Amino acid sequence: MRSVFFSSDPVDDDDGDRFDGRSERIPSFEPPRDEIPVLSGPAGLLARADDVVIALMGVRVFSDGVEFLLDRHLRRGGRDPREWQLAQMDFAGHFGVADRTPGRLRWGLSLGDGQRLLLDDPFGFPDPHRHDAPSEPQRHTVRVTGGGGSGGGDDYTMHDGLWLWPLPPEGPLDIVVQWTTFGVAESRFSLDGGHLRALAAGVRPLWD
């Protein structure tokens, strides 16, 4: 339909530099987008405080890494409306080196080969400001994937994902959490890294 007011757009004959919307996956940042992962348990309690419960809801094993699905639950308790609003804002939380408050939510993984991965570490690599940081980057990395929350007048839930890349080594794998602002002391949940690694053989492609 021809417009009287608006002139026609110029014809662009140069398509060579036009961005087509495609993006290449960075394996250490996110799980594969074209795989059906193997779902694994066990689900279980990670930590509990007066008004907070943190639980492992399951594990998704991909061909080159593992995603841990974690839920954080907060109940209102005796908080008045203002206190409840502030608690929910704090509970939503933030990750990364930008947040250095002493009581912040902290996640970590302990792998069977002795590696300790902290989400305080930028991009999963050791923080150079930490005195105990090794001089060489660790081979494995851990990053937050997705996330989101919802709640109401009495409770609030946050859904977190931790992406471990590449697949874990043999031996025990501990998920470690601490959140002293909400009364959560350092707690851990143990899994079998070798078992998770073996499950990767059952991953299927999403597309033929």
Side-chain angles (χ1 to χ4, degrees):
M1 180 180 296
R2 184 180 179 86
S3 173
V4 176
F5 180 82
F6 296 101
S7 61
S8 300
D9 291 326
V11 176
D12 185 3
D13 294 326
D14 183 12
D15 292 334
D17 296 329
R18 181 175 294 174
F19 177 62
D20 66 0
R22 296 177 185 269
S23 61
E24 184 177 349
R25 172 185 173 240
I26 302 175
S28 63
F29 275 41
E30 61 179 352
R33 307 167 191 160
D34 58 355
E35 294 182 355
I36 301 175
V38 176
L39 300 179
S40 172
L45 179 70
L46 218 69
R48 176 181 284 133
D50 290 341
D51 294 322
V52 171
V53 169
I54 302 176
L56 174 67
M57 305 307 293
V59 182
R60 302 201 303 171
V61 180
F62 292 84
S63 63
D64 64 353
V66 175
E67 184 178 32
F68 304 100
L69 307 178
L70 300 147
D71 277 5
R72 295 181 276 132
H73 302 273
L74 173 69
R75 65 181 177 183
R76 179 169 175 173
R79 296 176 176 89
D80 64 32
R82 174 62 175 167
E83 292 171 335
W84 178 231
Q85 181 183 29
L86 293 174
Q88 290 179 82
M89 293 171 62
D90 288 340
F91 193 73
H94 297 280
F95 297 104
V97 294
D99 182 4
R100 289 298 189 186
T101 55
R104 68 189 180 277
L105 172 62
R106 307 186 73 181
W107 289 107
L109 298 177
S110 176
L111 305 185
D113 60 0
Q115 291 186 69
R116 294 171 61 246
L117 309 178
L118 306 177
L119 273 173
D120 286 346
D121 296 340
F123 305 106
F125 295 127
D127 181 349
H129 298 98
R130 285 214 334 262
H131 296 298
D132 62 340
S135 57
E136 295 294 330
Q138 302 176 62
R139 192 176 73 87
H140 284 78
T141 62
V142 61
R143 290 182 59 85
V144 175
T145 59
S150 62
D154 296 311
D155 55 71
Y156 195 90
T157 300
M158 288 292 297
H159 308 287
D160 303 319
L162 299 184
W163 170 241
L164 170 66
W165 179 88
L167 290 166
E170 299 286 336
L173 188 160
D174 289 352
I175 305 171
V176 188
V177 65
Q178 177 179 290
W179 202 359
T180 55
T181 293
F182 284 93
V184 176
E186 182 179 302
S187 307
R188 63 181 59 210
F189 189 92
S190 294
L191 298 165
D192 184 339
H195 173 69
L196 296 177
R197 185 182 185 89
L199 290 177
V203 173
R204 294 176 294 163
L206 184 63
W207 306 102
D208 292 334

